[in-house]
């Protein structure tokens, strides 16, 4: 039979969310029912938010919300805009497009700065747009997960701040824990993220960090559940306004503790190193990365080689080898494959993923040397820093 398959294979997730769950986090989530108004749970919420604060580089403690990342996007947009406000959206992929859809649903006048898929906005492009209109708020991603492109916000935002004083809202769902975030230092008003990406917790929790000036100037829109002002006050007093997903918060606390113990800088440095190693592996296999520069440390996307069927490669990766890679979304469907290196994993997880990719390409008679990508990655990781 061709190819030879492992009869008792495992399933391995290489998607850019949900990501793998560390054993410590998994055990913390397997918790008995508990009362969310107890002093003990209040302490857990406070500690968790303190740990998040360091990760976000925020002056104020981030708010925990019971929703996926999109819920935090919606809560943020609704809290800083009113109907008919002019807003600017950077749109370079599926998640940028989501900002536009949200803005339109909430009655804003949306101007898009459209960036070709796989590219990042420049400060000049953004400053030119900013001059054209008085925008209430700017919305962008730190990492556009659908293309694997990082928007270099550590230089972009300070450059914008020289000319722009309105709200800046950054979706850091897939960049948190893989790229630095210093919202206070860089001048960002709202940063949001979610549990199932860099933090390696089951989906269902999201976080919004606010700057002090945004906390006192929310829009007058009607809202109830996602009222960030009330939620912030209640969480400062020790408990979310409504029943929170207690087990997920236990998991988040365990993940954050592990990250802080390892050292945030060490974790960020590791993601950068692994991401460049994966790109070297991909190139050695003979594949082309989808982005030409501005690579994300969270996910690497590469083009499906001419003559091969992207859908079929993904299916074979899963059915034959148990690896769940992500494909392209929207207009990139069938054209790219995305391999995540986000959250709780080590170099050996990347070696496995590259090996699975090599096996499947070999099955499809793609001309390559088995082990070439894995070898390049190992060489990269073995280099002294
Ligand atoms: C995953 C992700 C989201 C949130 O998606 P949900 O499915 O709502 O959790 C938002 N923005 C980016 C950049 C993401 O990668």
């Amino acid at each position: 039979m061709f190819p030879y398959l492992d009869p008792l294979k495992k399933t391995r997730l290489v998607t850019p969310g949900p990501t793998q769950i560390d054993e410590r986090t998994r055990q913390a989530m397997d918790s008995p029912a508990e009362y969310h108004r107890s002093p003990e749970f209040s302490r857990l919420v406070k500690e968790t938010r303190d740990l998040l604060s360091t990760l976000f580089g925020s002056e104020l403690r981030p708010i925990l919300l019971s929703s996926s990342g999109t819920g935090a996007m919606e809560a943020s947009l609704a809290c800083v805009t009113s109907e008919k406000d002019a807003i600017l959206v950077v749109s370079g992929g599926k998640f940028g497009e989501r900002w536009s859809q949200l803005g339109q649903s909430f009655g804003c006048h949306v101007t898009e700065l459209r960036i070709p898929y796989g590219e990042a906005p420049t400060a000049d492009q953004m400053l030119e747009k900013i001059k054209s209109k008085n925008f209430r708020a700017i919305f962008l991603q730190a990492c556009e997960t659908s293309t694997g492109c990082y928007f270099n916000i550590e230089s972009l935002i300070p450059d914008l701040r020289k000319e722009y004083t309105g709200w800046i809202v950054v979706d850091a769902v897939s960049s948190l824990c893989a790229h630095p975030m210093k919202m206070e230092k860089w001048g960002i008003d709202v940063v949001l993220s979610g549990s199932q990406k860099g933090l390696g917790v089951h989906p269902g929790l999201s976080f919004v960090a606010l700057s002090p000036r945004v906390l006192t100037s929310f829009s007058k829109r009607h809202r109830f559940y996602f009222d960030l002002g009330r939620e912030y006050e209640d969480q400062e007093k020790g408990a979310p306004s409504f029943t929170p997903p207690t087990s997920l918060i236990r998991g988040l606390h365990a993940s954050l503790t592990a990250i802080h113990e390892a050292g945030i800088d060490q974790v960020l440095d590791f993601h950068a190193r692994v991401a460049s190693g994966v790109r070297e592996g991909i190139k050695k296999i003979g594949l082309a990365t989808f982005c030409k520069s501005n690579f994300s440390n969270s996910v690497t996307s590469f083009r499906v080689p001419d003559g091969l069927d992207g859908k079929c490669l993904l299916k074979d990766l899963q059915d034959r080898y148990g690896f769940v890679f992500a494909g392209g979304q929207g207009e990139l469907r069938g054209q790219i494959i995305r391999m995540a290196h986000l959250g709780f994993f080590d170099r050996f997880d990347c070696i496995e993923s590259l090996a699975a990719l090599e096996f499947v390409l070999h099955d499809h008679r793609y001309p390559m040397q088995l082990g070439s990508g894995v070898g390049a990655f190992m060489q990269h990781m073995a280099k002294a820093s």
Side-chain angles (χ1 to χ4, degrees):
M1 193 178 88
F2 180 85
Y4 176 78
L5 297 179
D6 307 13
L8 298 174
K9 71 177 184 319
K10 302 185 200 173
T11 296
R12 293 166 164 100
L13 216 51
V14 200
T15 49
T19 60
Q20 296 181 41
I21 294 177
D22 186 70
E23 196 47 39
R24 288 164 286 186
T25 302
R26 202 207 312 251
Q27 281 175 11
M29 286 193 284
D30 183 14
S31 56
E34 66 185 307
Y35 187 44
H36 58 286
R37 307 261 174 234
S38 67
E40 195 201 342
F41 192 73
S42 278
R43 238 182 349 263
L44 181 81
V45 166
K46 180 174 176 303
E47 259 179 55
T48 304
R49 293 177 63 226
D50 280 337
L51 293 169
L52 272 178
S53 208
T54 318
L55 204 56
F56 277 78
S58 66
E59 198 177 333
L60 306 181
R61 295 188 187 100
I63 300 163
L64 305 174
L65 293 176
S66 317
S67 76
S68 78
T70 308
M73 291 172 79
E74 173 163 334
S76 306
L77 185 131
C79 279
V80 300
T81 65
S82 300
E83 225 165 291
K84 299 201 171 55
D85 276 353
I87 64 167
L88 178 64
V89 165
V90 176
S91 179
K94 190 180 153 233
F95 291 101
E97 285 152 24
R98 190 166 298 173
W99 276 133
S100 297
Q101 290 167 345
L102 275 166
Q104 278 150 10
S105 310
F106 280 80
C108 297
H109 294 303
V110 180
T111 299
E112 285 187 333
L113 171 61
R114 283 211 161 246
I115 308 295
Y117 278 20
E119 291 180 24
T122 64
D124 286 345
Q125 283 173 318
M126 294 201 64
L127 290 169
E128 199 187 308
K129 281 280 182 198
I130 287 165
K131 280 191 205 118
S132 70
K133 220 182 223 177
N134 192 9
F135 293 109
R136 166 82 64 181
I138 299 176
F139 297 87
L140 71 163
Q141 270 63 43
C143 166
E144 176 49 80
T145 326
S146 66
T147 63
C149 187
Y150 179 64
F151 286 179
N152 287 328
I153 51 165
E154 54 266 66
S155 62
L156 189 66
I157 307 287
D159 279 349
L160 290 183
R161 272 301 177 216
K162 291 176 196 152
E163 314 244 341
Y164 177 77
T165 56
W167 306 129
I168 298 180
V169 181
V170 174
D171 165 359
V173 178
S174 64
S175 71
L176 202 68
C177 303
H179 291 274
M181 171 50 73
K182 297 189 162 64
M183 67 177 283
E184 187 188 352
K185 183 167 169 217
W186 299 338
I188 310 175
D189 295 294
V190 185
V191 176
L192 60 102
S193 196
S195 53
Q196 80 275 26
K197 309 262 168 111
L199 288 157
V201 178
H202 284 307
L205 260 184
S206 65
F207 332 111
V208 182
L210 303 169
S211 68
R213 66 172 197 145
V214 85
L215 189 65
T216 52
S217 17
F218 284 132
S219 73
K220 301 275 179 290
R221 279 186 198 278
H222 297 295
R223 52 180 159 257
F224 186 72
Y225 190 76
F226 289 115
D227 182 340
L228 295 180
R230 184 211 53 230
E231 205 46 76
Y232 179 81
E233 275 177 31
D234 286 346
Q235 294 191 16
E236 281 297 285
K237 281 185 241 149
S241 311
F242 307 104
T243 317
T246 48
S247 61
L248 295 184
I249 295 176
R250 290 233 164 253
L252 177 63
H253 182 268
S255 282
L256 286 165
T257 304
I259 289 167
H260 279 76
E261 278 171 10
I264 294 177
D265 289 343
Q266 280 74 8
V267 170
L268 296 177
D269 184 70
F270 171 75
H271 279 79
R273 182 185 273 247
V274 154
S276 57
V278 166
R279 290 196 295 277
E280 294 205 357
I282 293 288
K283 269 187 248 160
K284 203 66 175 191
I285 295 172
L287 299 170
T289 54
F290 179 64
C291 304
K292 295 283 168 280
S293 58
N294 301 101
F295 302 104
S296 161
N297 290 342
S298 326
V299 53
T300 296
S301 53
F302 50 90
R303 291 184 186 276
V304 173
D306 286 341
L308 295 187
D309 178 345
K311 215 174 121 194
C312 190
L313 289 178
L314 286 173
K315 186 173 183 305
D316 287 349
L317 273 165
Q318 178 153 11
D319 293 352
R320 295 180 180 179
Y321 301 108
F323 276 77
V324 187
F325 280 62
Q329 297 163 291
E331 61 191 68
L332 292 176
R333 191 172 299 273
Q335 300 192 24
I336 62 168
I337 291 177
R338 293 175 299 147
M339 169 180 158
H341 24 82
L342 178 61
F344 284 75
F345 68 97
D346 57 27
R347 66 180 72 194
F348 301 102
D349 292 303
C350 288
I351 290 172
E352 290 179 347
S353 309
L354 287 167
L357 184 63
E358 294 187 27
F359 273 126
V360 94
L361 287 167
H362 183 261
D363 294 349
H364 284 256
R365 310 209 186 296
Y366 179 73
M368 48 112 32
Q369 178 89 42
L370 275 178
S372 58
V374 169
F377 176 81
M378 288 177 70
Q379 292 288 348
H380 182 85
M381 295 305 285
K383 263 185 237 158
S385 48

